[in-house]
Amino acid sequence: MKKILFLSVLLACGPACFSQQAEKFPLGDYVELTDTKPHDGEEVWSKMAAPVRFCWGTTDVRYKKLNVPDVKTTGTLRLKAWKGERVNAQAVLWTQKELEGAEIAVSELKNGSSVIPASAVNTYFVRYVMTDELNKDGSGGCGPRENKAEWDSSMVADVLDIVRVREVQARSTQPVWLNVWVPADARPGKYKGTLTVSGKNFEAMKLPFEIEVVNRTLPEPQKWAFHLDLWQNPYAVARYYQVPLWSKEHFDAMRPIMKMLANAGQRAITASIMHKPWAGQTEDHYDSMIFRMKKLDGTWVYDYTVFDKWVEFMMNEVGIKDLISCYTMIPWALSFDYFDQATNRVQFIKAAPGEEAYAEYWGTFLKDFSRHLREKGWFEKTAISMDERPMEAMREAIKVIKAADPEFKITLAGNYHEEIQEDLYYLSIPYGNQFPEEVKAERERKGQISTVYTCCTEAFPNTFTFSEPAEAAWTVLHAVAGGYDGYLRWAVNSWPMDPLRDSRFRTWAAGDTYSIYPGPRSSIRFERLVEGLQDCEKIHILREELAAKGANGKLKKLNAKLSEFTPEGWIKTNKKSPALMVSELNTLLNEM
């Protein structure tokens, strides 16, 4: 009888009971944190012309949840796009009363008999996440933040939710994100559609929009010229999704996340070849994907099972195939793991580059790793990678690598050093630094990759959750303006403990560790980054075309506008709004 009663209670409780148990790591709907900042009161909300409003806004604004938005009533939203391009828009729903069962619908887009199907359009409710601020001097976002109370925190719009039906609280604002991926075979012309929001207790409201498809085609992301390198963290996915590492469930969880990266033009696979290469700086530390064992007779054996599964998954199922970046031979803590058969336990060798023990540990491994990679057909795609390491340590590590196999590729994300740059197949230097012109030309001639990176250091541009949305696009446009081959950022999904609700982290400004949320959910930041990446490809195409045609006037105009996207160029504009700069450049690219 007690068992029947208990089962009845569970059935009556329904999903709510189970959702409470799983609330620590929500994947479906969830409750946002409370915004304690001052906001518009009832006297402001009561002045609305109608109890519920729905208008087009702008993708350049993170609308505050509890304030009446500054949105002007407009008619049809008009956008331009190349064939194969993704374009974004943001609408704003705000209400005096609680809205029950709000949901979004979008029509197909029609241009006479030509149609962009509704399946090419995605809509999202924009959700709010806790953020903080720059350092007190405003100079960046690096440094300890263990005590969150010391930082000015607030709720900001960023998450693009996968939940299709929402309850919208009274006296609140609910942004809606629209993304249209124009088919590559779309006929040029103006396509018209309608965005609709409806619910149980309010009349459906419609917003018309139009996309003018110009007669130019953007290649698929895997063919873009830009070298994008956003570091992945598979360990964070296992923890958040509560699945065993490297299980089928783990790969199933990672697949849609990593495909978002592939669809942004990602080129590199992040692989960890030692325990804690960055000393556990993330909520979920990286472990070694390669098992090392020292046998009783002192010889070494290596197991590449996990490494192979990860690489094969990323290449064959996700479609990221250009580079396997293996981190790292020079970790932050110079301690290297292995399983010791004699003691039947994991042991650590403490050794610095230049020491005999370091050369023996890494040299033996690299010779076997080279053999394995060649057998798999991956050697030409693989690089031994380091980041932000001193030049002398790099020189010693390079000696060990070259002694093991002189054909190994080597990469570094760190300061430029003339003495070692020619040994580096791929070198990414910090924002604000430049390659000497003749060095960059020589690296290009040799087929070497030269990119730029940002991290917590930059107050602007950045992709913190409190950064202006347009900064994400501005950052990658800077890479092209500065003459780099691409852009690197150290984390795309190194989630803090509660990433959907709280983007703050113990060490850096909020959002520094990720731009894709669990679910997977995209973000305003990630979508604006993709927008910038598409503009980078447009620039590449137009430069080649204009140069071939001898259209020097147009080419000069394009390069002049692009030159604003550099530290010195931005200052010359009197630090023009990044939103305006990105908009002006996008308009120029669509008119050429």
Side-chain angles (χ1 to χ4, degrees):
M1 180 67 181
K2 288 182 180 179
K3 289 182 178 179
I4 295 173
L5 179 61
F6 177 69
L7 179 60
S8 299
V9 170
L10 283 179
L11 291 173
C13 178
C17 294
F18 298 101
S19 66
Q20 288 174 4
Q21 293 173 3
E23 188 66 11
K24 185 176 181 182
F25 300 111
L27 287 170
D29 205 357
Y30 60 96
V31 178
E32 297 167 359
L33 299 180
T34 301
D35 194 345
T36 59
K37 287 290 185 183
H39 56 268
D40 291 344
E42 186 175 358
E43 69 283 358
V44 178
W45 283 94
S46 64
K47 294 177 182 177
M48 287 175 56
V52 185
R53 301 290 305 279
F54 189 45
C55 294
W56 287 115
T58 170
T59 58
D60 294 319
V61 173
R62 299 183 188 275
Y63 293 97
K64 294 183 181 295
K65 182 178 182 180
L66 301 178
N67 285 1
V68 175
D70 182 15
V71 176
K72 303 294 186 288
T73 302
T74 58
T76 301
L77 175 73
R78 291 179 171 84
L79 303 170
K80 273 189 177 183
W82 288 25
K83 294 181 287 182
E85 182 181 0
R86 282 170 275 181
V87 290
N88 299 302
Q90 187 170 209
V92 189
L93 172 69
W94 68 106
T95 178
Q96 290 176 344
K97 65 177 184 178
E98 182 178 345
L99 303 182
E100 299 175 11
E103 55 184 320
I104 318 160
V106 66
S107 69
E108 62 184 9
L109 283 69
K110 293 184 177 180
N111 170 28
S113 60
S114 299
V115 173
I116 295 176
S119 59
V121 185
N122 286 307
T123 56
Y124 311 92
F125 287 114
V126 182
R127 300 293 298 274
Y128 291 81
V129 66
M130 189 68 76
T131 190
D132 52 25
E133 60 177 339
L134 291 171
N135 292 341
K136 301 304 181 182
D137 61 5
S139 64
C142 301
R145 297 179 176 225
E146 293 285 357
N147 184 1
K148 294 179 179 178
E150 294 179 358
W151 303 89
D152 188 19
S153 297
S154 60
M155 296 293 286
V156 292
D158 192 55
V159 187
L160 303 188
D161 205 1
I162 56 176
V163 174
R164 309 311 303 171
V165 181
R166 297 269 303 132
E167 309 301 308
V168 182
Q169 72 184 66
R171 296 192 295 277
S172 72
T173 293
Q174 176 59 72
V176 172
W177 196 267
L178 173 75
N179 177 277
V180 182
W181 195 335
V182 178
D185 60 355
R187 184 167 65 88
K190 295 180 179 180
Y191 291 78
K192 297 181 179 181
T194 305
L195 178 69
T196 303
V197 64
S198 61
K200 295 179 181 178
N201 65 336
F202 65 101
E203 293 290 328
M205 293 178 286
K206 299 179 182 292
L207 292 177
F209 65 99
E210 176 184 287
I211 298 178
E212 181 182 349
V213 178
V214 301
N215 194 24
R216 287 189 176 277
T217 303
L218 200 65
E220 58 190 62
Q222 291 77 11
K223 295 180 180 178
W224 292 349
F226 195 90
H227 187 94
L228 180 65
D229 186 2
L230 306 179
W231 294 2
Q232 312 100 50
N233 186 341
Y235 302 93
V237 179
R239 183 264 302 177
Y240 192 90
Y241 282 70
Q242 297 292 281
V243 293
L245 263 172
W246 314 119
S247 64
K248 178 183 182 301
E249 294 80 8
H250 186 200
F251 284 104
D252 288 345
M254 290 193 291
R255 191 174 294 104
I257 298 168
M258 301 309 163
K259 283 190 174 181
M260 289 173 66
L261 276 179
N263 287 337
Q266 173 73 11
R267 295 295 191 86
I269 302 167
T270 308
S272 48
I273 58 171
M274 63 160 291
H275 177 68
K276 289 188 176 181
W278 298 287
Q281 67 171 342
T282 50
E283 186 67 40
D284 306 281
H285 73 259
Y286 289 73
D287 220 323
S288 180
M289 294 180 180
I290 297 167
F291 176 76
R292 298 163 167 82
M293 183 171 71
K294 191 173 187 179
K295 297 175 69 176
L296 288 172
D297 62 4
T299 60
W300 293 85
V301 293
Y302 306 94
D303 188 322
Y304 300 101
T305 302
V306 170
F307 177 84
D308 291 352
K309 284 183 71 173
W310 170 240
V311 171
E312 287 167 357
F313 165 75
M314 291 294 280
M315 284 188 173
N316 302 332
E317 297 187 44
V318 176
I320 299 172
K321 302 180 178 182
D322 286 28
L323 186 67
I324 309 165
S325 295
C326 299
Y327 293 93
T328 176
M329 280 180 61
I330 317 177
W332 292 8
L334 294 169
S335 179
F336 307 102
D337 65 294
Y338 68 98
F339 182 82
D340 182 50
Q341 198 174 50
T343 60
N344 199 37
R345 65 181 59 187
V346 174
Q347 301 282 11
F348 291 86
I349 292 174
K350 294 186 181 295
E355 295 179 2
E356 184 177 345
Y358 178 92
E360 194 271 337
Y361 178 91
W362 282 108
T364 305
F365 163 71
L366 289 172
K367 288 175 184 176
D368 193 74
F369 194 34
S370 169
R371 173 200 58 78
H372 178 75
L373 292 168
R374 291 180 186 277
E375 286 179 359
K376 298 291 291 186
W378 297 341
F379 184 83
E380 293 301 320
K381 296 176 180 287
T382 303
I384 307 303
S385 303
M386 276 74 73
D387 73 300
E388 297 181 338
R389 300 296 86 192
M391 186 188 71
E392 284 305 317
M394 283 295 302
R395 291 177 101 163
E396 294 298 331
I398 290 169
K399 288 179 186 177
V400 175
I401 297 168
K402 296 295 187 185
D405 191 324
E407 295 183 350
F408 255 127
K409 290 182 170 67
I410 304 170
T411 80
L412 171 68
N415 291 328
Y416 175 82
H417 296 292
E418 175 63 32
E419 297 86 345
I420 61 172
Q421 71 81 20
E422 66 181 68
D423 291 317
L424 302 173
Y425 166 72
Y426 171 16
L427 173 57
S428 187
I429 61 177
Y431 175 82
N433 292 255
Q434 291 182 314
F435 289 92
E437 192 172 324
E438 65 282 2
V439 170
K440 177 62 174 66
E442 180 63 12
R443 290 182 60 80
E444 189 171 333
R445 188 187 67 78
K446 291 180 177 179
Q448 295 172 320
I449 302 167
S450 310
T451 73
V452 64
Y453 72 88
T454 60
C455 56
C456 61
T457 303
E458 292 77 26
F460 172 89
N462 220 308
T463 51
F464 302 129
T465 39
F466 55 79
S467 299
E468 287 188 41
E471 290 184 37
W474 200 102
T475 301
V476 290
L477 286 166
H478 160 69
V480 177
Y484 308 97
D485 300 327
Y487 171 71
L488 176 152
R489 207 176 197 293
W490 77 277
V492 73
N493 73 305
S494 282
W495 296 321
M497 182 55 67
D498 192 11
L500 284 172
R501 289 173 288 217
D502 192 346
S503 66
R504 297 172 297 178
F505 190 60
R506 61 179 178 264
T507 314
W508 304 289
D512 187 60
T513 66
Y514 68 114
S515 57
I516 292 176
Y517 291 84
R521 293 163 169 88
S522 188
S523 67
I524 290 177
R525 295 172 292 151
F526 190 77
E527 294 304 318
R528 294 304 304 272
L529 180 79
V530 172
E531 176 189 319
L533 291 166
Q534 292 179 142
D535 282 350
C536 291
E537 182 62 17
K538 289 181 181 180
I539 292 164
H540 173 73
I541 291 169
L542 288 170
R543 277 177 161 174
E544 286 195 342
E545 178 186 300
L546 296 173
K549 289 181 177 178
N552 296 328
K554 287 185 176 181
L555 185 58
K556 184 177 179 181
K557 183 179 180 181
L558 172 58
N559 289 337
K561 175 57 66 176
L562 187 60
S563 69
E564 296 178 359
F565 291 80
T566 61
E568 57 278 8
W570 185 51
I571 291 171
K572 287 180 180 179
T573 69
N574 294 317
K575 296 187 176 181
K576 188 189 294 185
S577 156
L580 180 58
M581 294 176 69
V582 171
S583 176
E584 289 176 348
L585 178 62
N586 193 262
T587 298
L588 179 62
L589 296 175
N590 287 333
E591 290 176 348
M592 281 193 159

